[in-house]
Amino acid sequence: MDENIINRALLFIQKCDNDFEQNLFLPENSSQAKEYLKLLRKLKKDNNSAILKATLKKLDFIIKQIDAVNYHTYSKENILNLVSLSVTDYIISLIKNKHLIDRLLISRYAYIELSKALYYDISYVKQMDQEAKKRICNAPVNVKKEKIFSYVTCTQWLELYKYILEQFDIEVIKRSREGQDHVWGEIKLDDEHIIIVDATDYINSSIDLSNAKSNSPTVGFVVLPKEYANIRLYDIFTNSNNLELARNIMDCYQLNRELDRDLGYIKKKGYPVEQIIEENELFHYSTNIITNPTDLERYSQATLDFFRSLKIPNNIDGYEIYAYYYMFIRKLPLNIKGNISQQTMYVDAFSYNHDKTKKKFLHASREYLRYLEDLIYSRYYKYLSDEENNAFLEQMKMGDLGEKQVLDMIVKNEMIIAEINRSLNLYYAINNLQFYEPMTANTLGIQLYEPMMGTKIFQTQEEFDDFKKTLLLK
């Protein structure tokens, strides 16, 4: 009987591996893996064999991998299951399970997967004080413990990436400009080529923390001749004197497409965003101006309907979705895209998140507790020294406190959390996508997006203005 359960579990694991190869991360597989875990853990009391241990470990990995891909999309239990998952352990496991040995493929795969699993800390973007900016940018990161879906700047992203590649004997060189906070990475591929890695910079109106999550063409990863060493891609695409160099780099991006086919991210038809653009007539007239009033009205309404029905990529947040929307907007006719505006709205992170999470979690004290634990560990520990000893957090972590005791202590400590939040000057990003009638400039529609709220639609400017009053905008 024991052997039969283990064999069934092994066949199931093989099925999941095949699904992963096809880029399928099915929630039902996660549920099935949890059932096998329960059965096999019961067997462990009498059967502690190596194969049973390995099977348990693999099932746990499958659950975390599927739940991570479907974060923000399915159940809140998926989110809570990620509390203890180290982002570097997660990526290293993905690479090993894919059996990659080629340096270029490892570098590419780690780049995409790490960018999927992290968010940009927009506190840096909105911070006016230069010293505070430096503190945010230079905040230490524990490369072994940083959690999946943590918020980072370029510095922390690069440290995590460097650590992951070190496990495969690949060196990433840190690059920077004197007097600038931004850093990026460079890898010596061979005697003739280097790889530039820069996931957090806005390059050619795009950012790879967004592109990775939407499985779109990336802009911060490129294999170049070694004479391009130490260039910053942002500088190339923002300086009109570098047009020829920019064209050369654009040509080099083609290799990414081949790598992504090898890694299973795309098939012959290309990236999902390219397929959508190719199959939708809205995007076939990007150099045209529509002059017929009837056609213009029809086109404007069809564009509005498209964005309202567009599927939001898994895990993308209110800051990153700007780049995703822009890939479609730039392919519209000139006078259509000229009447669409995007704005990132920044709200007070503590007040906004606290109100939202209370509504979602307060009715279930255990889940609310897990949320707060994640809030503390994933968001604040990087700003504390390794020597600091917080008895409250340690007791929470070890489970030494009863649920009622912990909830009572949370009430007393929430104001402390709020003060930490304010001192770090944190923000939360909401994307504001607004459509205007080309002939009259009247508001045709407004939609907001951020993960906790989802997509919120307003028919008129007045409706939107009333809602805006409820936000603590920064």
Side-chain angles (χ1 to χ4, degrees):
M1 181 66 179
D2 292 2
E3 185 178 346
N4 184 36
I5 295 174
I6 294 173
N7 287 337
R8 280 161 43 204
L10 290 173
L11 288 172
F12 170 74
I13 287 170
Q14 185 177 12
K15 174 191 178 301
C16 290
D17 283 340
N18 291 335
D19 285 346
F20 293 162
E21 287 293 328
Q22 300 298 317
N23 211 25
L24 296 174
F25 301 87
L26 305 176
E28 54 265 34
N29 283 350
S30 175
S31 300
Q32 184 64 54
K34 289 172 186 174
E35 290 301 316
Y36 277 121
L37 267 183
K38 289 179 185 176
L39 292 172
L40 294 177
R41 280 172 179 159
K42 291 179 182 177
L43 297 181
K44 194 177 178 185
K45 296 175 184 177
D46 303 315
N47 179 352
N48 202 23
S49 64
I51 191 168
L52 180 59
K53 289 179 181 177
T55 304
L56 287 168
K57 188 174 181 181
K58 179 69 176 185
L59 287 168
D60 185 58
F61 170 76
I62 286 171
I63 292 165
K64 288 176 178 176
Q65 189 169 2
I66 293 172
D67 289 353
V69 170
N70 295 305
Y71 178 80
H72 281 327
T73 306
Y74 295 95
S75 67
K76 59 192 173 188
E77 285 76 15
N78 287 347
I79 301 172
L80 297 172
N81 284 339
L82 298 172
V83 169
S84 62
L85 186 56
S86 157
V87 69
T88 51
D89 283 350
Y90 170 63
I91 304 300
I92 290 166
S93 297
L94 288 181
I95 295 169
K96 288 180 177 178
N97 279 273
K98 207 165 179 66
H99 307 297
L100 298 177
I101 56 174
D102 181 81
R103 284 164 52 84
L104 178 53
L105 287 176
I106 291 172
S107 302
R108 176 66 175 172
Y109 190 66
Y111 181 88
I112 296 292
E113 294 301 328
L114 185 63
S115 299
K116 282 183 183 179
L118 295 172
Y119 294 116
Y120 191 75
D121 189 347
I122 57 172
S123 302
Y124 176 83
V125 175
K126 288 295 291 180
Q127 182 58 256
M128 301 303 293
D129 181 78
Q130 290 302 314
E131 287 303 313
K133 272 193 164 187
K134 284 184 180 178
R135 284 198 299 273
I136 294 170
C137 196
N138 296 327
V141 58
N142 188 323
V143 294
K144 294 183 180 180
K145 295 183 178 179
E146 187 74 8
K147 294 185 185 303
I148 196 168
F149 299 121
S150 289
Y151 288 76
V152 298
T153 63
C154 56
T155 310
Q156 294 96 34
W157 185 93
L158 186 61
E159 286 301 312
L160 294 166
Y161 185 74
K162 278 168 60 73
Y163 173 77
I164 292 168
L165 264 61
E166 281 171 6
Q167 313 313 305
F168 302 93
D169 296 321
I170 301 172
E171 181 186 8
V172 182
I173 302 167
K174 183 178 179 179
R175 296 294 194 191
S176 62
R177 289 275 182 273
E178 188 175 351
Q180 297 180 5
D181 291 332
H182 185 68
V183 301
W184 65 97
E186 193 174 290
I187 301 167
K188 181 182 177 183
L189 184 59
D190 53 41
D191 291 339
E192 301 297 328
H193 298 90
I194 61 167
I195 309 171
I196 291 179
V197 290
D198 193 351
T200 63
D201 211 0
Y202 249 93
I203 300 165
N204 201 17
S205 301
S206 192
I207 183 172
D208 282 347
L209 292 180
S210 171
N211 295 327
K213 294 179 180 72
S214 64
N215 195 17
S216 300
T218 58
V219 291
F221 182 103
V222 62
V223 177
L224 296 172
K226 65 179 181 180
E227 54 265 29
Y228 286 63
N230 206 27
I231 66 166
R232 181 180 176 184
L233 294 172
Y234 172 85
D235 294 338
I236 302 304
F237 287 99
T238 53
N239 189 332
S240 58
N241 295 323
N242 294 324
L243 289 179
E244 184 176 352
L245 182 54
R247 281 194 290 268
N248 292 341
I249 291 173
M250 291 293 288
D251 291 339
C252 292
Y253 282 141
Q254 290 302 310
L255 176 59
N256 291 346
R257 188 177 296 269
E258 297 174 25
L259 298 175
D260 289 351
R261 285 199 190 100
D262 290 342
L263 291 168
Y265 288 123
I266 58 171
K267 297 182 180 178
K268 289 183 179 179
K269 289 185 178 181
Y271 297 93
V273 65
E274 294 173 337
Q275 294 178 47
I276 294 171
I277 289 171
E278 175 65 27
E279 294 167 4
N280 196 315
E281 191 180 358
L282 285 174
F283 307 108
H284 295 177
Y285 309 99
S286 60
T287 59
N288 291 14
I289 296 176
I290 299 175
T291 55
N292 182 285
T294 303
D295 291 342
L296 190 57
E297 182 179 354
R298 177 185 59 81
Y299 218 109
S300 298
Q301 186 60 50
T303 301
L304 176 64
D305 293 341
F306 168 81
F307 280 99
R308 285 186 175 174
S309 61
L310 180 64
K311 184 181 182 298
I312 304 301
N314 291 349
N315 312 330
I316 206 163
D317 73 1
Y319 177 74
E320 296 164 345
I321 202 170
Y322 188 105
Y324 183 63
Y325 283 153
Y326 180 73
M327 285 189 282
F328 297 104
I329 292 172
R330 68 183 179 182
K331 291 291 185 179
L332 291 166
L334 295 174
N335 56 333
I336 297 295
K337 65 186 172 189
N339 282 281
I340 300 175
S341 70
Q342 276 200 91
Q343 177 191 10
T344 303
M345 299 164 55
Y346 299 93
V347 301
D348 177 272
F350 176 76
S351 298
Y352 186 78
N353 278 318
H354 192 58
D355 289 346
K356 289 287 182 184
T357 53
K358 267 192 173 179
K359 291 175 184 176
K360 277 197 169 186
F361 293 97
L362 195 54
H363 68 281
S365 58
R366 189 180 301 278
E367 293 180 351
Y368 184 51
L369 168 61
R370 291 286 297 278
Y371 166 75
L372 284 174
E373 183 182 353
D374 183 41
L375 184 70
I376 295 166
Y377 275 100
S378 67
R379 195 68 171 171
Y380 305 122
Y381 79 86
K382 67 168 70 77
Y383 297 96
L384 306 175
S385 69
D386 290 337
E387 293 76 23
E388 179 153 347
N389 180 28
N390 187 313
F392 170 58
L393 296 185
E394 286 302 313
Q395 287 175 300
M396 282 180 66
K397 186 176 180 181
M398 300 302 295
D400 294 336
L401 294 173
E403 187 173 340
K404 185 178 185 308
Q405 289 175 290
V406 175
L407 288 173
D408 290 341
M409 294 177 75
I410 284 172
V411 173
K412 296 174 183 177
N413 280 274
E414 279 185 337
M415 288 310 296
I416 298 173
I417 296 172
E419 288 304 315
I420 295 173
N421 219 332
R422 292 190 187 97
S423 69
L424 295 175
N425 203 16
L426 297 176
Y427 299 88
Y428 194 82
I430 300 175
N431 180 273
N432 175 10
L433 185 64
Q434 193 151 352
F435 303 84
Y436 300 93
E437 295 176 351
M439 300 295 289
T440 65
N442 292 332
T443 297
L444 187 61
I446 300 171
Q447 69 183 55
L448 305 184
Y449 171 78
E450 55 88 5
M452 203 172 289
M453 174 179 65
T455 300
K456 193 172 183 65
I457 294 172
F458 302 90
Q459 303 295 340
T460 66
Q461 185 70 44
E462 290 73 23
E463 280 183 43
F464 171 65
D465 289 340
D466 287 341
F467 176 78
K468 198 172 176 182
K469 293 173 185 175
T470 67
L471 301 176
L472 293 175
L473 296 177
K474 295 290 185 179

